[in-house]
PDB file of all heavy atoms in Angstrom:
ATOM      1  N   MET A   1     -37.920 138.153  46.730  1.00 88.00           N
ATOM      2  CA  MET A   1     -36.623 137.549  46.493  1.00 88.00           C
ATOM      3  C   MET A   1     -35.660 138.615  45.950  1.00 88.00           C
ATOM      4  O   MET A   1     -36.010 139.374  45.059  1.00 88.00           O
ATOM      5  CB  MET A   1     -36.757 136.409  45.491  1.00 88.00           C
ATOM      6  CG  MET A   1     -35.413 135.841  45.103  1.00 88.00           C
ATOM      7  SD  MET A   1     -35.419 134.290  44.191  1.00 88.00           S
ATOM      8  CE  MET A   1     -36.243 134.693  42.719  1.00 88.00           C
ATOM      9  N   VAL A   2     -34.488 138.657  46.512  1.00 88.00           N
ATOM     10  CA  VAL A   2     -33.457 139.604  46.077  1.00 88.00           C
ATOM     11  C   VAL A   2     -32.738 139.020  44.867  1.00 88.00           C
ATOM     12  O   VAL A   2     -32.249 137.892  44.907  1.00 88.00           O
ATOM     13  CB  VAL A   2     -32.440 139.860  47.217  1.00 88.00           C
ATOM     14  CG1 VAL A   2     -31.294 140.722  46.732  1.00 88.00           C
ATOM     15  CG2 VAL A   2     -33.125 140.493  48.413  1.00 88.00           C
ATOM     16  N   ILE A   3     -32.701 139.797  43.777  1.00 94.00           N
ATOM     17  CA  ILE A   3     -31.987 139.327  42.588  1.00 94.00           C
ATOM     18  C   ILE A   3     -30.711 140.120  42.333  1.00 94.00           C
ATOM     19  O   ILE A   3     -29.885 139.736  41.528  1.00 94.00           O
ATOM     20  CB  ILE A   3     -32.884 139.352  41.333  1.00 94.00           C
ATOM     21  CG1 ILE A   3     -33.366 140.765  41.042  1.00 94.00           C
ATOM     22  CG2 ILE A   3     -34.052 138.390  41.493  1.00 94.00           C
ATOM     23  CD1 ILE A   3     -34.078 140.901  39.708  1.00 94.00           C
ATOM     24  N   GLY A   4     -30.559 141.246  43.025  1.00 94.00           N
ATOM     25  CA  GLY A   4     -29.367 142.058  42.844  1.00 94.00           C
ATOM     26  C   GLY A   4     -29.271 143.123  43.922  1.00 94.00           C
ATOM     27  O   GLY A   4     -30.193 143.321  44.706  1.00 94.00           O
ATOM     28  N   HIS A   5     -28.138 143.782  43.945  1.00 94.00           N
ATOM     29  CA  HIS A   5     -27.876 144.833  44.927  1.00 94.00           C
ATOM     30  C   HIS A   5     -27.410 146.095  44.213  1.00 94.00           C
ATOM     31  O   HIS A   5     -26.540 146.035  43.341  1.00 94.00           O
ATOM     32  CB  HIS A   5     -26.785 144.394  45.913  1.00 94.00           C
ATOM     33  CG  HIS A   5     -27.140 143.186  46.700  1.00 94.00           C
ATOM     34  ND1 HIS A   5     -28.001 143.220  47.767  1.00 94.00           N
ATOM     35  CD2 HIS A   5     -26.749 141.891  46.554  1.00 94.00           C
ATOM     36  CE1 HIS A   5     -28.127 142.002  48.263  1.00 94.00           C
ATOM     37  NE2 HIS A   5     -27.379 141.184  47.543  1.00 94.00           N
ATOM     38  N   HIS A   6     -27.981 147.215  44.603  1.00 93.00           N
ATOM     39  CA  HIS A   6     -27.532 148.523  44.133  1.00 93.00           C
ATOM     40  C   HIS A   6     -26.574 149.039  45.207  1.00 93.00           C
ATOM     41  O   HIS A   6     -27.002 149.462  46.275  1.00 93.00           O
ATOM     42  CB  HIS A   6     -28.727 149.448  43.951  1.00 93.00           C
ATOM     43  CG  HIS A   6     -28.340 150.839  43.570  1.00 93.00           C
ATOM     44  ND1 HIS A   6     -29.204 151.898  43.707  1.00 93.00           N
ATOM     45  CD2 HIS A   6     -27.194 151.362  43.069  1.00 93.00           C
ATOM     46  CE1 HIS A   6     -28.611 153.004  43.309  1.00 93.00           C
ATOM     47  NE2 HIS A   6     -27.385 152.705  42.915  1.00 93.00           N
ATOM     48  N   LEU A   7     -25.292 148.963  44.921  1.00 92.00           N
ATOM     49  CA  LEU A   7     -24.273 149.393  45.875  1.00 92.00           C
ATOM     50  C   LEU A   7     -23.884 150.834  45.568  1.00 92.00           C
ATOM     51  O   LEU A   7     -23.649 151.183  44.416  1.00 92.00           O
ATOM     52  CB  LEU A   7     -23.038 148.494  45.770  1.00 92.00           C
ATOM     53  CG  LEU A   7     -23.272 146.983  45.871  1.00 92.00           C
ATOM     54  CD1 LEU A   7     -21.960 146.226  45.672  1.00 92.00           C
ATOM     55  CD2 LEU A   7     -23.901 146.627  47.198  1.00 92.00           C
ATOM     56  N   VAL A   8     -23.824 151.655  46.609  1.00 88.00           N
ATOM     57  CA  VAL A   8     -23.416 153.051  46.450  1.00 88.00           C
ATOM     58  C   VAL A   8     -22.251 153.302  47.383  1.00 88.00           C
ATOM     59  O   VAL A   8     -22.322 153.029  48.580  1.00 88.00           O
ATOM     60  CB  VAL A   8     -24.573 154.023  46.787  1.00 88.00           C
ATOM     61  CG1 VAL A   8     -24.121 155.462  46.596  1.00 88.00           C
ATOM     62  CG2 VAL A   8     -25.798 153.716  45.941  1.00 88.00           C
ATOM     63  N   ARG A   9     -21.158 153.812  46.824  1.00 86.00           N
ATOM     64  CA  ARG A   9     -19.985 154.168  47.613  1.00 86.00           C
ATOM     65  C   ARG A   9     -19.743 155.648  47.437  1.00 86.00           C
ATOM     66  O   ARG A   9     -19.698 156.142  46.321  1.00 86.00           O
ATOM     67  CB  ARG A   9     -18.755 153.408  47.113  1.00 86.00           C
ATOM     68  CG  ARG A   9     -18.864 151.921  47.244  1.00 86.00           C
ATOM     69  CD  ARG A   9     -17.707 151.193  46.567  1.00 86.00           C
ATOM     70  NE  ARG A   9     -16.431 151.782  46.849  1.00 86.00           N
ATOM     71  CZ  ARG A   9     -15.419 151.792  45.981  1.00 86.00           C
ATOM     72  NH1 ARG A   9     -15.550 151.257  44.796  1.00 86.00           N
ATOM     73  NH2 ARG A   9     -14.271 152.330  46.310  1.00 86.00           N
ATOM     74  N   THR A  10     -19.565 156.352  48.537  1.00 82.00           N
ATOM     75  CA  THR A  10     -19.279 157.778  48.447  1.00 82.00           C
ATOM     76  C   THR A  10     -17.790 158.013  48.666  1.00 82.00           C
ATOM     77  O   THR A  10     -17.115 157.249  49.348  1.00 82.00           O
ATOM     78  CB  THR A  10     -20.077 158.575  49.492  1.00 82.00           C
ATOM     79  OG1 THR A  10     -19.724 158.122  50.796  1.00 82.00           O
ATOM     80  CG2 THR A  10     -21.565 158.429  49.272  1.00 82.00           C
ATOM     81  N   ALA A  11     -17.305 159.082  48.077  1.00 79.00           N
ATOM     82  CA  ALA A  11     -15.933 159.502  48.336  1.00 79.00           C
ATOM     83  C   ALA A  11     -15.884 160.049  49.768  1.00 79.00           C
ATOM     84  O   ALA A  11     -16.891 160.468  50.328  1.00 79.00           O
ATOM     85  CB  ALA A  11     -15.501 160.558  47.333  1.00 79.00           C
ATOM     86  N   CYS A  12     -14.715 160.057  50.341  1.00 74.00           N
ATOM     87  CA  CYS A  12     -14.544 160.431  51.742  1.00 74.00           C
ATOM     88  C   CYS A  12     -15.102 161.815  52.041  1.00 74.00           C
ATOM     89  O   CYS A  12     -14.768 162.790  51.383  1.00 74.00           O
ATOM     90  CB  CYS A  12     -13.064 160.368  52.100  1.00 74.00           C
ATOM     91  SG  CYS A  12     -12.783 160.613  53.862  1.00 74.00           S
ATOM     92  N   GLY A  13     -15.980 161.854  53.057  1.00 73.00           N
ATOM     93  CA  GLY A  13     -16.520 163.112  53.541  1.00 73.00           C
ATOM     94  C   GLY A  13     -17.832 163.531  52.924  1.00 73.00           C
ATOM     95  O   GLY A  13     -18.429 164.515  53.341  1.00 73.00           O
ATOM     96  N   TRP A  14     -18.340 162.787  51.930  1.00 78.00           N
ATOM     97  CA  TRP A  14     -19.517 163.231  51.193  1.00 78.00           C
ATOM     98  C   TRP A  14     -20.838 162.699  51.728  1.00 78.00           C
ATOM     99  O   TRP A  14     -21.882 162.978  51.160  1.00 78.00           O
ATOM    100  CB  TRP A  14     -19.387 162.887  49.716  1.00 78.00           C
ATOM    101  CG  TRP A  14     -18.425 163.781  49.034  1.00 78.00           C
ATOM    102  CD1 TRP A  14     -17.147 163.487  48.651  1.00 78.00           C
ATOM    103  CD2 TRP A  14     -18.630 165.152  48.670  1.00 78.00           C
ATOM    104  NE1 TRP A  14     -16.550 164.568  48.083  1.00 78.00           N
ATOM    105  CE2 TRP A  14     -17.445 165.615  48.074  1.00 78.00           C
ATOM    106  CE3 TRP A  14     -19.697 166.028  48.800  1.00 78.00           C
ATOM    107  CZ2 TRP A  14     -17.300 166.909  47.607  1.00 78.00           C
ATOM    108  CZ3 TRP A  14     -19.557 167.322  48.320  1.00 78.00           C
ATOM    109  CH2 TRP A  14     -18.368 167.746  47.728  1.00 78.00           C
ATOM    110  N   TRP A  15     -20.851 161.915  52.763  1.00 79.00           N
ATOM    111  CA  TRP A  15     -22.119 161.512  53.361  1.00 79.00           C
ATOM    112  C   TRP A  15     -21.909 161.417  54.863  1.00 79.00           C
ATOM    113  O   TRP A  15     -21.612 160.357  55.400  1.00 79.00           O
ATOM    114  CB  TRP A  15     -22.632 160.190  52.801  1.00 79.00           C
ATOM    115  CG  TRP A  15     -24.125 160.138  52.915  1.00 79.00           C
ATOM    116  CD1 TRP A  15     -24.854 160.067  54.067  1.00 79.00           C
ATOM    117  CD2 TRP A  15     -25.071 160.214  51.869  1.00 79.00           C
ATOM    118  NE1 TRP A  15     -26.193 160.083  53.798  1.00 79.00           N
ATOM    119  CE2 TRP A  15     -26.356 160.175  52.435  1.00 79.00           C
ATOM    120  CE3 TRP A  15     -24.961 160.324  50.487  1.00 79.00           C
ATOM    121  CZ2 TRP A  15     -27.517 160.216  51.684  1.00 79.00           C
ATOM    122  CZ3 TRP A  15     -26.117 160.368  49.744  1.00 79.00           C
ATOM    123  CH2 TRP A  15     -27.379 160.312  50.345  1.00 79.00           C
ATOM    124  N   LEU A  16     -22.070 162.541  55.525  1.00 82.00           N
ATOM    125  CA  LEU A  16     -21.834 162.634  56.961  1.00 82.00           C
ATOM    126  C   LEU A  16     -23.055 162.146  57.739  1.00 82.00           C
ATOM    127  O   LEU A  16     -24.161 162.087  57.199  1.00 82.00           O
ATOM    128  CB  LEU A  16     -21.505 164.084  57.328  1.00 82.00           C
ATOM    129  CG  LEU A  16     -20.231 164.636  56.674  1.00 82.00           C
ATOM    130  CD1 LEU A  16     -20.070 166.109  56.984  1.00 82.00           C
ATOM    131  CD2 LEU A  16     -19.010 163.853  57.108  1.00 82.00           C
ATOM    132  N   PRO A  17     -22.870 161.778  59.021  1.00 84.00           N
ATOM    133  CA  PRO A  17     -23.985 161.247  59.810  1.00 84.00           C
ATOM    134  C   PRO A  17     -25.169 162.203  59.915  1.00 84.00           C
ATOM    135  O   PRO A  17     -26.308 161.774  60.013  1.00 84.00           O
ATOM    136  CB  PRO A  17     -23.386 161.013  61.200  1.00 84.00           C
ATOM    137  CG  PRO A  17     -21.942 161.205  61.087  1.00 84.00           C
ATOM    138  CD  PRO A  17     -21.630 161.838  59.775  1.00 84.00           C
ATOM    139  N   ASN A  18     -24.893 163.506  59.881  1.00 87.00           N
ATOM    140  CA  ASN A  18     -25.972 164.477  59.990  1.00 87.00           C
ATOM    141  C   ASN A  18     -26.289 165.128  58.643  1.00 87.00           C
ATOM    142  O   ASN A  18     -26.786 166.244  58.580  1.00 87.00           O
ATOM    143  CB  ASN A  18     -25.654 165.524  61.053  1.00 87.00           C
ATOM    144  CG  ASN A  18     -24.244 166.055  60.966  1.00 87.00           C
ATOM    145  OD1 ASN A  18     -23.461 165.636  60.134  1.00 87.00           O
ATOM    146  ND2 ASN A  18     -23.908 166.977  61.834  1.00 87.00           N
ATOM    147  N   ASP A  19     -26.035 164.391  57.569  1.00 86.00           N
ATOM    148  CA  ASP A  19     -26.388 164.845  56.229  1.00 86.00           C
ATOM    149  C   ASP A  19     -27.881 165.180  56.191  1.00 86.00           C
ATOM    150  O   ASP A  19     -28.697 164.410  56.703  1.00 86.00           O
ATOM    151  CB  ASP A  19     -26.062 163.734  55.221  1.00 86.00           C
ATOM    152  CG  ASP A  19     -26.223 164.171  53.781  1.00 86.00           C
ATOM    153  OD1 ASP A  19     -27.358 164.524  53.390  1.00 86.00           O
ATOM    154  OD2 ASP A  19     -25.235 164.145  53.042  1.00 86.00           O
ATOM    155  N   PRO A  20     -28.257 166.299  55.615  1.00 89.00           N
ATOM    156  CA  PRO A  20     -29.675 166.684  55.595  1.00 89.00           C
ATOM    157  C   PRO A  20     -30.581 165.684  54.860  1.00 89.00           C
ATOM    158  O   PRO A  20     -31.788 165.689  55.053  1.00 89.00           O
ATOM    159  CB  PRO A  20     -29.683 168.031  54.872  1.00 89.00           C
ATOM    160  CG  PRO A  20     -28.290 168.474  54.769  1.00 89.00           C
ATOM    161  CD  PRO A  20     -27.397 167.309  55.037  1.00 89.00           C
ATOM    162  N   ARG A  21     -30.011 164.814  54.028  1.00 88.00           N
ATOM    163  CA  ARG A  21     -30.809 163.807  53.322  1.00 88.00           C
ATOM    164  C   ARG A  21     -31.093 162.597  54.199  1.00 88.00           C
ATOM    165  O   ARG A  21     -31.925 161.777  53.869  1.00 88.00           O
ATOM    166  CB  ARG A  21     -30.071 163.339  52.058  1.00 88.00           C
ATOM    167  CG  ARG A  21     -29.854 164.440  51.052  1.00 88.00           C
ATOM    168  CD  ARG A  21     -28.882 164.038  49.989  1.00 88.00           C
ATOM    169  NE  ARG A  21     -27.529 163.992  50.559  1.00 88.00           N
ATOM    170  CZ  ARG A  21     -26.435 163.754  49.851  1.00 88.00           C
ATOM    171  NH1 ARG A  21     -26.510 163.532  48.561  1.00 88.00           N
ATOM    172  NH2 ARG A  21     -25.253 163.738  50.436  1.00 88.00           N
ATOM    173  N   GLY A  22     -30.346 162.479  55.314  1.00 86.00           N
ATOM    174  CA  GLY A  22     -30.427 161.309  56.184  1.00 86.00           C
ATOM    175  C   GLY A  22     -29.202 160.436  55.977  1.00 86.00           C
ATOM    176  O   GLY A  22     -28.430 160.628  55.040  1.00 86.00           O
ATOM    177  N   SER A  23     -28.973 159.485  56.885  1.00 84.00           N
ATOM    178  CA  SER A  23     -27.843 158.565  56.760  1.00 84.00           C
ATOM    179  C   SER A  23     -28.146 157.302  57.555  1.00 84.00           C
ATOM    180  O   SER A  23     -29.152 157.230  58.259  1.00 84.00           O
ATOM    181  CB  SER A  23     -26.545 159.204  57.274  1.00 84.00           C
ATOM    182  OG  SER A  23     -26.483 159.165  58.682  1.00 84.00           O
ATOM    183  N   THR A  24     -27.261 156.337  57.473  1.00 80.00           N
ATOM    184  CA  THR A  24     -27.433 155.103  58.251  1.00 80.00           C
ATOM    185  C   THR A  24     -26.623 155.138  59.539  1.00 80.00           C
ATOM    186  O   THR A  24     -26.532 154.139  60.240  1.00 80.00           O
ATOM    187  CB  THR A  24     -27.027 153.867  57.427  1.00 80.00           C
ATOM    188  OG1 THR A  24     -25.676 154.027  56.989  1.00 80.00           O
ATOM    189  CG2 THR A  24     -27.939 153.687  56.224  1.00 80.00           C
ATOM    190  N   SER A  25     -26.043 156.285  59.844  1.00 83.00           N
ATOM    191  CA  SER A  25     -25.273 156.420  61.086  1.00 83.00           C
ATOM    192  C   SER A  25     -26.221 156.573  62.274  1.00 83.00           C
ATOM    193  O   SER A  25     -27.254 157.226  62.182  1.00 83.00           O
ATOM    194  CB  SER A  25     -24.362 157.644  61.022  1.00 83.00           C
ATOM    195  OG  SER A  25     -23.412 157.492  60.007  1.00 83.00           O
ATOM    196  N   ARG A  26     -25.825 155.972  63.381  1.00 85.00           N
ATOM    197  CA  ARG A  26     -26.626 156.083  64.599  1.00 85.00           C
ATOM    198  C   ARG A  26     -25.976 157.022  65.625  1.00 85.00           C
ATOM    199  O   ARG A  26     -26.575 157.353  66.626  1.00 85.00           O
ATOM    200  CB  ARG A  26     -26.843 154.708  65.212  1.00 85.00           C
ATOM    201  CG  ARG A  26     -27.680 153.818  64.310  1.00 85.00           C
ATOM    202  CD  ARG A  26     -28.186 152.605  65.061  1.00 85.00           C
ATOM    203  NE  ARG A  26     -28.918 151.730  64.204  1.00 85.00           N
ATOM    204  CZ  ARG A  26     -30.230 151.773  64.016  1.00 85.00           C
ATOM    205  NH1 ARG A  26     -30.943 152.687  64.625  1.00 85.00           N
ATOM    206  NH2 ARG A  26     -30.839 150.921  63.228  1.00 85.00           N
ATOM    207  N   THR A  27     -24.731 157.428  65.352  1.00 86.00           N
ATOM    208  CA  THR A  27     -24.039 158.354  66.249  1.00 86.00           C
ATOM    209  C   THR A  27     -23.208 159.332  65.424  1.00 86.00           C
ATOM    210  O   THR A  27     -22.838 159.052  64.290  1.00 86.00           O
ATOM    211  CB  THR A  27     -23.089 157.616  67.219  1.00 86.00           C
ATOM    212  OG1 THR A  27     -22.117 156.907  66.449  1.00 86.00           O
ATOM    213  CG2 THR A  27     -23.822 156.657  68.125  1.00 86.00           C
ATOM    214  N   ILE A  28     -22.925 160.465  66.045  1.00 84.00           N
ATOM    215  CA  ILE A  28     -21.978 161.437  65.496  1.00 84.00           C
ATOM    216  C   ILE A  28     -20.780 161.399  66.424  1.00 84.00           C
ATOM    217  O   ILE A  28     -20.892 161.703  67.604  1.00 84.00           O
ATOM    218  CB  ILE A  28     -22.586 162.851  65.431  1.00 84.00           C
ATOM    219  CG1 ILE A  28     -23.824 162.860  64.544  1.00 84.00           C
ATOM    220  CG2 ILE A  28     -21.543 163.853  64.927  1.00 84.00           C
ATOM    221  CD1 ILE A  28     -24.557 164.185  64.531  1.00 84.00           C
ATOM    222  N   ARG A  29     -19.634 160.982  65.925  1.00 82.00           N
ATOM    223  CA  ARG A  29     -18.465 160.751  66.779  1.00 82.00           C
ATOM    224  C   ARG A  29     -17.543 161.946  66.909  1.00 82.00           C
ATOM    225  O   ARG A  29     -16.588 161.914  67.645  1.00 82.00           O
ATOM    226  CB  ARG A  29     -17.674 159.566  66.240  1.00 82.00           C
ATOM    227  CG  ARG A  29     -18.451 158.285  66.296  1.00 82.00           C
ATOM    228  CD  ARG A  29     -17.578 157.103  65.904  1.00 82.00           C
ATOM    229  NE  ARG A  29     -18.417 155.950  65.718  1.00 82.00           N
ATOM    230  CZ  ARG A  29     -18.445 155.215  64.630  1.00 82.00           C
ATOM    231  NH1 ARG A  29     -17.658 155.506  63.623  1.00 82.00           N
ATOM    232  NH2 ARG A  29     -19.245 154.182  64.536  1.00 82.00           N
ATOM    233  N   SER A  30     -17.816 162.999  66.170  1.00 81.00           N
ATOM    234  CA  SER A  30     -16.920 164.154  66.176  1.00 81.00           C
ATOM    235  C   SER A  30     -17.694 165.407  66.587  1.00 81.00           C
ATOM    236  O   SER A  30     -18.749 165.711  66.026  1.00 81.00           O
ATOM    237  CB  SER A  30     -16.332 164.349  64.779  1.00 81.00           C
ATOM    238  OG  SER A  30     -15.783 165.630  64.643  1.00 81.00           O
ATOM    239  N   ASP A  31     -17.151 166.141  67.561  1.00 81.00           N
ATOM    240  CA  ASP A  31     -17.782 167.397  67.981  1.00 81.00           C
ATOM    241  C   ASP A  31     -17.840 168.393  66.825  1.00 81.00           C
ATOM    242  O   ASP A  31     -18.809 169.136  66.678  1.00 81.00           O
ATOM    243  CB  ASP A  31     -17.025 168.016  69.152  1.00 81.00           C
ATOM    244  CG  ASP A  31     -17.172 167.209  70.436  1.00 81.00           C
ATOM    245  OD1 ASP A  31     -18.134 166.417  70.529  1.00 81.00           O
ATOM    246  OD2 ASP A  31     -16.329 167.369  71.337  1.00 81.00           O
ATOM    247  N   ILE A  32     -16.804 168.382  66.001  1.00 79.00           N
ATOM    248  CA  ILE A  32     -16.759 169.303  64.862  1.00 79.00           C
ATOM    249  C   ILE A  32     -17.900 168.998  63.895  1.00 79.00           C
ATOM    250  O   ILE A  32     -18.586 169.895  63.418  1.00 79.00           O
ATOM    251  CB  ILE A  32     -15.389 169.214  64.156  1.00 79.00           C
ATOM    252  CG1 ILE A  32     -14.303 169.757  65.075  1.00 79.00           C
ATOM    253  CG2 ILE A  32     -15.403 169.948  62.828  1.00 79.00           C
ATOM    254  CD1 ILE A  32     -12.897 169.491  64.621  1.00 79.00           C
ATOM    255  N   THR A  33     -18.125 167.724  63.627  1.00 81.00           N
ATOM    256  CA  THR A  33     -19.223 167.327  62.745  1.00 81.00           C
ATOM    257  C   THR A  33     -20.565 167.591  63.414  1.00 81.00           C
ATOM    258  O   THR A  33     -21.517 168.038  62.756  1.00 81.00           O
ATOM    259  CB  THR A  33     -19.091 165.836  62.367  1.00 81.00           C
ATOM    260  OG1 THR A  33     -17.793 165.612  61.817  1.00 81.00           O
ATOM    261  CG2 THR A  33     -20.133 165.422  61.355  1.00 81.00           C
ATOM    262  N   ALA A  34     -20.674 167.346  64.707  1.00 85.00           N
ATOM    263  CA  ALA A  34     -21.932 167.548  65.434  1.00 85.00           C
ATOM    264  C   ALA A  34     -22.390 168.997  65.357  1.00 85.00           C
ATOM    265  O   ALA A  34     -23.598 169.275  65.362  1.00 85.00           O
ATOM    266  CB  ALA A  34     -21.778 167.114  66.886  1.00 85.00           C
ATOM    267  N   GLU A  35     -21.447 169.931  65.262  1.00 85.00           N
ATOM    268  CA  GLU A  35     -21.800 171.344  65.178  1.00 85.00           C
ATOM    269  C   GLU A  35     -22.552 171.690  63.893  1.00 85.00           C
ATOM    270  O   GLU A  35     -23.203 172.735  63.811  1.00 85.00           O
ATOM    271  CB  GLU A  35     -20.528 172.207  65.268  1.00 85.00           C
ATOM    272  CG  GLU A  35     -19.846 172.147  66.617  1.00 85.00           C
ATOM    273  CD  GLU A  35     -18.484 172.823  66.612  1.00 85.00           C
ATOM    274  OE1 GLU A  35     -18.101 173.409  65.576  1.00 85.00           O
ATOM    275  OE2 GLU A  35     -17.800 172.755  67.644  1.00 85.00           O
ATOM    276  N   LEU A  36     -22.501 170.810  62.901  1.00 86.00           N
ATOM    277  CA  LEU A  36     -23.175 171.059  61.623  1.00 86.00           C
ATOM    278  C   LEU A  36     -24.678 170.810  61.688  1.00 86.00           C
ATOM    279  O   LEU A  36     -25.417 171.243  60.813  1.00 86.00           O
ATOM    280  CB  LEU A  36     -22.563 170.186  60.524  1.00 86.00           C
ATOM    281  CG  LEU A  36     -21.121 170.486  60.165  1.00 86.00           C
ATOM    282  CD1 LEU A  36     -20.548 169.382  59.296  1.00 86.00           C
ATOM    283  CD2 LEU A  36     -21.031 171.831  59.458  1.00 86.00           C
ATOM    284  N   GLY A  37     -25.121 170.059  62.691  1.00 85.00           N
ATOM    285  CA  GLY A  37     -26.552 169.770  62.799  1.00 85.00           C
ATOM    286  C   GLY A  37     -26.789 168.427  63.454  1.00 85.00           C
ATOM    287  O   GLY A  37     -25.860 167.678  63.734  1.00 85.00           O
ATOM    288  N   GLY A  38     -28.062 168.119  63.686  1.00 85.00           N
ATOM    289  CA  GLY A  38     -28.438 166.889  64.363  1.00 85.00           C
ATOM    290  C   GLY A  38     -28.368 165.661  63.477  1.00 85.00           C
ATOM    291  O   GLY A  38     -28.281 165.753  62.251  1.00 85.00           O
ATOM    292  N   LEU A  39     -28.411 164.527  64.134  1.00 86.00           N
ATOM    293  CA  LEU A  39     -28.375 163.234  63.455  1.00 86.00           C
ATOM    294  C   LEU A  39     -29.688 163.004  62.717  1.00 86.00           C
ATOM    295  O   LEU A  39     -30.760 163.299  63.238  1.00 86.00           O
ATOM    296  CB  LEU A  39     -28.153 162.128  64.493  1.00 86.00           C
ATOM    297  CG  LEU A  39     -27.941 160.720  63.964  1.00 86.00           C
ATOM    298  CD1 LEU A  39     -26.645 160.617  63.187  1.00 86.00           C
ATOM    299  CD2 LEU A  39     -27.915 159.744  65.130  1.00 86.00           C
ATOM    300  N   HIS A  40     -29.594 162.499  61.513  1.00 79.00           N
ATOM    301  CA  HIS A  40     -30.765 162.176  60.691  1.00 79.00           C
ATOM    302  C   HIS A  40     -30.658 160.709  60.293  1.00 79.00           C
ATOM    303  O   HIS A  40     -30.084 160.389  59.257  1.00 79.00           O
ATOM    304  CB  HIS A  40     -30.812 163.028  59.432  1.00 79.00           C
ATOM    305  CG  HIS A  40     -30.751 164.501  59.686  1.00 79.00           C
ATOM    306  ND1 HIS A  40     -31.796 165.203  60.234  1.00 79.00           N
ATOM    307  CD2 HIS A  40     -29.765 165.402  59.479  1.00 79.00           C
ATOM    308  CE1 HIS A  40     -31.465 166.478  60.329  1.00 79.00           C
ATOM    309  NE2 HIS A  40     -30.236 166.624  59.893  1.00 79.00           N
ATOM    310  N   TYR A  41     -31.191 159.804  61.128  1.00 83.00           N
ATOM    311  CA  TYR A  41     -31.072 158.374  60.811  1.00 83.00           C
ATOM    312  C   TYR A  41     -32.083 157.995  59.733  1.00 83.00           C
ATOM    313  O   TYR A  41     -33.259 158.314  59.816  1.00 83.00           O
ATOM    314  CB  TYR A  41     -31.285 157.508  62.051  1.00 83.00           C
ATOM    315  CG  TYR A  41     -31.149 156.036  61.729  1.00 83.00           C
ATOM    316  CD1 TYR A  41     -29.895 155.476  61.528  1.00 83.00           C
ATOM    317  CD2 TYR A  41     -32.263 155.236  61.555  1.00 83.00           C
ATOM    318  CE1 TYR A  41     -29.755 154.149  61.190  1.00 83.00           C
ATOM    319  CE2 TYR A  41     -32.130 153.906  61.214  1.00 83.00           C
ATOM    320  CZ  TYR A  41     -30.875 153.368  61.029  1.00 83.00           C
ATOM    321  OH  TYR A  41     -30.740 152.056  60.677  1.00 83.00           O
TER     322      TYR A  41
END
């Protein structure tokens, strides 16, 4: 049973789709961002 939610909000630009820690993004929409590395879902 869920009793609460831990919500995390990042400031703009601080959690990109190909962040080395992983992300919840399923696509990289920018060629510039894609050049930084592969998607880590």
Side-chain angles (χ1 to χ4, degrees):
M1 174 168 63
V2 174
I3 60 171
H5 299 283
H6 176 198
L7 308 177
V8 181
R9 298 172 45 213
T10 60
C12 187
W14 286 104
W15 207 292
L16 298 174
N18 45 358
D19 188 298
R21 297 167 288 185
S23 79
T24 57
S25 296
R26 295 195 183 268
T27 60
I28 300 175
R29 296 187 191 126
S30 163
D31 291 340
I32 293 169
T33 306
E35 293 171 4
L36 294 168
L39 186 66
H40 306 288
Y41 181 76

